[in-house]
């Protein structure tokens, strides 16, 4: 299976978000310390199943799943946690095998 990755979120490497979604972000570096990027997720996962899986790392505040124009999943998500420590726990899962794929 393919590995999935869990990385710290950096707006500089993705796209600019509306200013209403910038809470908690270090505007100098473009990083939000409470957000993790997760790649390699099974394409059939929805927000509920991602939240259920990553709640083990800490309270999930928001999930933004990336989808194709037809609504099918791209296997990637941005997960915003309530606390920075939760991101560290999620980052520890980088390279972990999950549902036949690797995080």
């Amino acid at each position: 299976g393919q590995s999935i990755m869990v990385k710290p979120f950096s707006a500089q490497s993705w796209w600019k978000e509306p200013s209403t979604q910038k809470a908690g972000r270090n505007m100098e570096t473009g990083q939000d310390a409470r957000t993790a990027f997760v790649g390699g997720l099974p394409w059939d996962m929805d927000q509920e199943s991602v939240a259920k899986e990553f709640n083990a790392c800490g309270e999930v505040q928001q999930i933004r799943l990336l989808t194709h124009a037809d609504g099918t999943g791209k296997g990637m998500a941005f997960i915003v946690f309530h606390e920075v420590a939760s991101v560290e726990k999620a980052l520890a899962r980088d390279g972990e095998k999950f549902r036949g794929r690797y995080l």
Side-chain angles (χ1 to χ4, degrees):
Q2 179 180 342
S3 65
I4 67 170
M5 68 176 136
V6 183
K7 302 291 180 195
F9 169 69
S10 173
Q12 294 172 339
S13 65
W14 293 95
W15 63 82
K16 291 190 175 190
E17 297 177 66
S19 59
T20 58
Q21 296 183 7
K22 293 183 179 177
R25 176 166 306 145
N26 178 333
M27 297 309 292
E28 292 180 15
T29 64
Q31 292 184 343
D32 181 343
R34 296 180 303 116
T35 303
F37 168 79
V38 181
L41 293 169
W43 299 290
D44 63 347
M45 288 192 80
D46 58 15
Q47 286 189 350
E48 184 179 317
S49 58
V50 172
K52 182 178 178 182
E53 183 63 34
F54 282 89
N55 267 328
C57 299
E59 181 183 344
V60 173
Q61 190 171 349
Q62 180 183 20
I63 295 173
R64 296 185 302 261
L65 285 173
L66 302 180
T67 59
H68 295 282
D70 64 2
T72 58
K74 290 185 175 183
M76 297 178 275
F78 293 98
I79 304 173
V80 181
F81 291 95
H82 184 69
E83 297 180 355
V84 175
S86 302
V87 174
E88 294 301 321
K89 290 178 184 176
L91 294 175
R93 297 187 65 181
D94 187 34
E96 178 180 304
K97 188 170 184 177
F98 176 72
R99 288 180 54 185
R101 298 184 75 173
Y102 291 87
L103 296 175

